[in-house]
Amino acid sequence: MIAFFIKRFFQAVVVMFVISLISFSIQDNLGDPLRELVGQAVSEEERQALRDEMGLNDPFLVQYVRFAKNALQGDLGESYFFKEPALEVILNKFPATLELVIGATFIIVLFSVPLGVYSAIKPQSVFSKAVMGFSIVGISIPVFLTAIGLIYLFSIELGWMPSYGRGETVEILGFWESGFFTQDGLEHLILPCFTLASIMLPLFIRLIRAEMMEVLQSEYVKFAWAKGISPRRIYFLHALKNTMLPVITVGGVQIGTMVAYTILTETVFQWPGMGFLFLEAVNRVDTPLIVAYLIVVGAIFVVTNTLVDLIYGLVNPTVKLAGR
Amino acid sequence: MALLEVKDLEVCFGLRSGAVKALREINFSLERGERLGIVGESGAGKSVLGFSILNLISRPGYISKGAVNFEGQNLADLKPHQLREIRGNRISMIFQDPMMTLNPVLTIGQQMVECLLAHRKMRESDARKIALQKLQQVQIPSPETRLDQYPHELSGGMRQRIVIAIGLLLDPDVIIADEPTTALDVTIQAEIMDLMLNLCEQNNVALILITHDLGVVSEVTQNMMVMYAGRVIERGPTKEIINDPQHPYTQGLMNALPQMAQAGQKLNQIKGAMPPLQRIPTGCAFNPRCEYVMEICRHNLPDSTVSGNCRVACHMVAEMKREQAMGDEV
C-alpha cells in the first residue's frame, strides 16, 4: 500500500509538472493583461516599464522558473483583477463547484445503476427501450440547452425552482460555504445538478447496461444459475460486482471531467463556482488566475484517479496495489 | 421408474431467419447411479442437451417439445422457483472451463456457502463446515485457507476440483459434467476424472458425461449415446457400441481413433464437416458424408430401430434388420 502511494506520488509530480508547463506556456497567447490592468490613458512607455517590472518581458524559461519556485511554496501568483493570491481566490469558489459535482454524482449513481441493471436484465421490455431512447436524446442535447430548457420549464413556466445563484448558504468547518444545509440552498442545487448530470447519466446507464449484458452471458453467471441460487443474488452480487469494475474506472475519470466541465452549467445558472470564475478570468485576461485554475483542476484529476484506483483495488481481488 | 427420463425432447433457437432446431427427438433414461456418456463432434448438440435438462439454455434457445421427467416430474413445466430447488440441489452441473466457471470477485467460500444456503435452512458457520468437508473430499491441500481465497489464486486443476466440490455440495442425484477435463492440462485430466468418478460412485450419483473423448467414455460409462447434428443416431450399452458400432458415423469415429491405425499409416477421417444447424440436409443428416449412402437416405429421415441392445437411426441398419427378419421367417 505504501509502495503504491509512493509510486503514485512520483507519478503525480511528473503529471503536475507537465500540466504547469503547458498551462504556463499558453498564457502568452491569451492576450495582453496590461490592456485590462491599466486604463486607456496610460502611455506605451509606461506600459513597457510596467511589463518590465512585472517580468513579462523576460524569456519564457526565466518566467517559468520564477513561477515554479513560487508555486512549490504554494504561491500560484496574484490575480490581476482581485489583487489577491490566485489560489485563494479559486479555493474560495471550490466548495460551490464541489457541491455541484457531488449533487450531480449523487443523481448519476442513484439513477444509472438501477436503470442500467434493469435494462440489461430485460432488454426487450418497453421500459428498457424507452430508457435507451431517452439516453440517446440526453447524450445528444448540449448542456447549455438542457439548462435553458430546465430553467424555462421549472423556473419560468412552473415557478418551482430558482433559476440562478446558490441561494442561502451556511458556513461549516469555518471555511466551507455550504448549500446542503438550507432548504433554499438545496432548491438552488436541483436544476444545476440535473443539468450537470444530464450528459453523464445517459452515458453511465448505457455503460452499465452494456457491461452487465456481457457479464450475464458469462460462464460464471450461467454456473450460478445452475447452482440454483436466487435471481436477486445473481443479478446484484454475481453480475453487478463484475459489472462495476470497468464502470468505476470510467466513472473516476468522469468525476474529474465533471469538475472541469462545470463551466457551462455554472455560466448558465450564474453559479459562483470555479468554472464561472475561470470564464470571467479568461474575459479579463487574468493570466495568473487561469494558470492557477488549470493547475488546480489537474490536481483534482490526479487525486480522483488515485482514489479510483484505491476503490478499484478494494472491489477487484485480482488487483494487488502494492504487489507491482 | 427411471430417475431421469428425457422424452422426445426438441430444442429450438429462435433466430431472425426463423427457428432452428438444435435438438430433436432426444430420448433416453438414466437410472440411479448410472453413468451415461454423450459423444459427438463439436456442434452436435451435446452441451445444449446438457443445459436443456435443467432448462438452462440461454436465449434465444427454448424447449419447444417433449419432456424431461425427473422422478416423474416434468422439469420443463416447473415454475422458476420450483426449478431452482432442483438446480444445484438434486441435479448439478460441472462446466467445461474452470477458469471461467468461478466468479472472479467472490471467494471460494462465498461461492460454496451461498449454494448451501439457497437450498438448506442452516447457519452460515455450519455451511462453511460442509464446504470444508467437501473440499477435503476433492483432495484439495489446506482446504481451510482455500475458502477465503479468490479463484485467480488457484490453478486450473484446483479450480475444477472446487467446481466438482460445489457440484457435490448438496449430495445431488444426478451430475451433468460437460467436458469436465477438456480445458485442463493433460497430466491432470486423468486425476480429475478419476476423482469425479470415485466420488460419484461413493455417493451413488448418476453421471451424464458429455465429452468427445471416446476413450474415457469406453472406460467409465455403462451406456452411451452418439449425437450428430442435434439427433441421437446411436444409443446403447457402451461395450456393444464400442466393439460393434453399427451406424456409419460411429464406425467412422472409431476408425479415426489413433490406436486403431497402424504405426506410420495415415489416420482415417470422416470426410467433410458437420452441417450448420440452418443447413441440415434433407433425409439423414449424415448422408453427404456417408460411404454407404442410398437413395432413401437423401429423402427420408431414418427412424431409430432396435438392433440388439442398441437403437440406431440408419436406413442401412434398418434394411439389414428387415432382411434378417425375412431370412428368419423363411
Side-chain angles (χ1 to χ4, degrees):
Chain A
M1 196 62 119
I2 295 164
F4 169 77
F5 276 113
I6 292 172
K7 209 173 140 191
R8 260 310 150 106
F9 179 75
F10 283 109
Q11 278 175 0
V13 169
V14 174
V15 169
M16 292 313 296
F17 171 71
V18 173
I19 290 174
S20 71
L21 201 61
I22 292 172
S23 50
F24 194 75
S25 64
I26 58 173
Q27 70 167 0
D28 281 343
N29 307 313
L30 288 174
D32 185 6
L34 266 291
R35 209 182 60 206
E36 298 292 323
L37 270 175
V38 297
Q40 293 271 329
V42 180
S43 71
E44 184 54 35
E45 282 104 65
E46 282 172 301
R47 282 173 193 240
Q48 212 44 261
L50 206 54
R51 279 202 189 98
D52 275 337
E53 194 186 316
M54 290 169 72
L56 293 178
N57 287 333
D58 292 343
F60 174 76
L61 262 179
V62 176
Q63 284 193 48
Y64 178 72
V65 169
R66 185 172 8 163
F67 164 78
K69 259 188 200 161
N70 292 332
L72 285 176
Q73 292 163 5
D75 176 12
L76 293 179
E78 192 167 281
S79 162
Y80 296 153
F81 179 79
F82 293 97
K83 314 283 188 230
E84 275 172 44
L87 193 61
E88 240 168 68
V89 175
I90 286 173
L91 291 184
N92 276 337
K93 303 283 185 183
F94 181 66
T97 297
L98 193 68
E99 286 187 359
L100 191 60
V101 171
I102 290 173
T105 308
F106 178 73
I107 290 170
I108 290 171
V109 173
L110 191 71
F111 287 98
S112 68
V113 174
L115 288 177
V117 168
Y118 181 85
S119 55
I121 295 172
K122 294 205 164 17
Q124 300 297 328
S125 81
V126 179
F127 182 69
S128 302
K129 284 181 176 164
V131 169
M132 286 301 108
F134 272 114
S135 70
I136 279 283
V137 175
I139 289 180
S140 318
I141 297 178
V143 179
F144 60 87
L145 204 61
T146 313
I148 293 169
L150 287 177
I151 291 175
Y152 178 75
L153 187 63
F154 291 103
S155 303
I156 298 173
E157 288 296 314
L158 297 169
W160 292 350
M161 307 280 173
S163 62
Y164 68 88
R166 280 189 84 186
E168 199 185 324
T169 55
V170 261
E171 201 176 84
I172 49 165
L173 304 171
F175 62 94
W176 190 283
E177 289 285 328
S178 176
F180 280 152
F181 300 98
T182 62
Q183 201 196 337
D184 190 48
L186 285 174
E187 276 174 12
H188 279 82
L189 265 165
I190 293 174
L191 287 188
C193 285
F194 269 98
T195 304
L196 189 58
S198 69
I199 291 274
M200 301 289 181
L201 179 60
L203 191 82
F204 273 88
I205 293 175
R206 297 185 82 85
L207 180 69
I208 290 175
R209 177 183 122 107
E211 288 296 333
M212 182 94 171
M213 282 176 92
E214 206 179 301
V215 170
L216 287 179
Q217 293 294 315
S218 69
E219 287 288 297
Y220 54 80
V221 168
K222 233 178 170 181
F223 188 61
W225 286 112
K227 287 199 292 189
I229 56 181
S230 70
R232 193 187 302 167
R233 198 173 160 88
I234 293 175
Y235 290 136
F236 291 101
L237 182 73
H238 284 251
L240 191 60
K241 208 170 171 192
N242 284 288
T243 301
M244 289 321 279
L245 294 180
V247 175
I248 288 170
T249 313
V250 177
V253 179
Q254 297 298 345
I255 287 177
T257 313
M258 271 207 296
V259 175
Y261 286 80
T262 49
I263 295 176
L264 279 173
T265 310
E266 288 187 5
T267 308
V268 178
F269 287 97
Q270 298 285 299
W271 190 262
M274 285 161 56
F276 192 43
L277 180 78
F278 175 69
L279 215 65
E280 285 179 326
V282 170
N283 281 332
R284 294 174 186 142
V285 202
D286 195 345
T287 38
L289 203 54
I290 295 171
V291 173
Y293 173 83
L294 293 175
I295 287 175
V296 167
V297 168
I300 290 171
F301 262 90
V302 170
V303 170
T304 45
N305 275 330
T306 309
L307 283 179
V308 165
D309 283 352
L310 274 178
I311 295 171
Y312 190 84
L314 291 180
V315 181
N316 189 352
T318 59
V319 173
K320 280 224 169 59
L321 290 178
R324 279 168 302 157
Chain B
M1 186 176 59
L3 179 65
L4 182 76
E5 192 176 27
V6 174
K7 265 190 182 159
D8 202 24
L9 184 72
E10 185 180 279
V11 169
C12 285
F13 279 80
L15 303 179
R16 233 162 247 182
S17 49
V20 168
K21 284 179 189 167
L23 291 181
R24 40 185 173 175
E25 295 166 47
I26 307 286
N27 286 291
F28 69 90
S29 65
L30 188 74
E31 302 294 337
R32 209 168 275 279
E34 184 186 333
R35 290 204 287 250
L36 171 73
I38 302 179
V39 294
E41 273 172 276
S42 303
K46 310 184 295 287
S47 293
V48 175
L49 175 56
F51 283 114
S52 59
I53 292 173
L54 278 177
N55 210 341
L56 270 174
I57 339 160
S58 37
R59 273 181 308 194
Y62 57 95
I63 294 177
S64 46
K65 222 166 79 181
V68 179
N69 294 322
F70 178 69
E71 294 181 325
Q73 213 174 13
N74 185 0
L75 298 186
D77 289 343
L78 291 184
K79 295 200 174 67
H81 72 271
Q82 293 171 312
L83 198 56
R84 223 166 64 220
E85 279 165 27
I86 307 265
R87 288 177 183 160
N89 185 12
R90 310 297 307 279
I91 304 177
S92 62
M93 284 193 78
I94 293 170
F95 284 22
Q96 179 173 355
D97 190 350
M99 296 307 203
M100 317 286 278
T101 13
L102 294 170
N103 195 322
V105 298
L106 301 176
T107 60
I108 305 300
Q110 280 178 305
Q111 300 190 49
M112 295 183 84
V113 167
E114 67 175 1
C115 190
L116 284 160
L117 294 182
H119 297 290
R120 301 264 195 283
K121 273 197 163 60
M122 60 167 71
R123 268 180 298 169
E124 207 175 317
S125 55
D126 293 333
R128 251 179 100 89
K129 268 178 212 144
I130 297 179
L132 197 65
Q133 204 184 326
K134 294 290 170 185
L135 285 184
Q136 278 157 353
Q137 275 185 25
V138 295
Q139 295 158 18
I140 281 194
S142 52
E144 298 87 0
T145 49
R146 306 295 168 211
L147 281 178
D148 296 315
Q149 281 183 315
Y150 288 96
H152 72 273
E153 297 171 79
L154 305 171
S155 69
M158 289 246 253
R159 291 193 212 182
Q160 196 64 315
R161 282 171 199 266
I162 285 162
V163 173
I164 292 171
I166 293 176
L168 290 164
L169 215 45
L170 288 136
D171 303 314
D173 300 301
V174 183
I175 288 186
I176 302 165
D178 186 1
E179 309 207 21
T181 57
T182 314
L184 298 175
D185 200 315
V186 188
T187 51
I188 48 171
Q189 279 187 358
E191 226 175 277
I192 297 283
M193 188 59 85
D194 282 346
L195 175 78
M196 196 175 71
L197 294 170
N198 278 336
L199 289 172
C200 285
E201 200 160 297
Q202 278 168 28
N203 301 306
N204 200 25
V205 182
L207 176 72
I208 298 178
L209 182 64
I210 299 169
T211 177
H212 33 228
D213 190 339
L214 276 170
V216 169
V217 167
S218 70
E219 277 169 41
V220 307
T221 64
Q222 288 119 30
N223 292 303
M224 68 181 281
M225 311 201 295
V226 183
M227 291 188 68
Y228 187 82
R231 284 189 96 206
V232 174
I233 52 151
E234 189 159 0
R235 158 167 82 93
T238 306
K239 264 200 194 106
E240 288 179 38
I241 292 182
I242 296 284
N243 292 333
D244 180 24
Q246 298 186 55
H247 195 285
Y249 176 65
T250 321
Q251 288 171 2
L253 285 182
M254 297 299 165
N255 288 334
L257 287 177
Q259 52 263 49
M260 300 284 183
Q262 302 286 316
Q265 258 186 347
K266 266 194 179 175
L267 285 177
N268 288 313
Q269 62 176 61
I270 309 172
K271 287 188 178 60
M274 189 151 62
L277 292 174
Q278 297 96 321
R279 271 180 283 127
I280 290 178
T282 52
C284 174
F286 187 59
N287 83 66
R289 301 170 75 185
C290 184
E291 301 176 55
Y292 312 105
V293 60
M294 302 180 291
E295 195 49 36
I296 186 173
C297 301
R298 299 189 211 277
H299 306 293
N300 294 354
L301 194 66
D303 288 323
S304 149
T305 36
V306 180
S307 168
N309 292 319
C310 303
R311 296 186 74 95
V312 187
C314 177
H315 287 299
M316 188 183 69
V317 174
E319 196 161 296
M320 271 163 31
K321 286 284 142 198
R322 269 199 299 279
E323 276 168 15
Q324 230 171 46
M326 266 161 39
D328 287 347
E329 271 171 44
V330 172

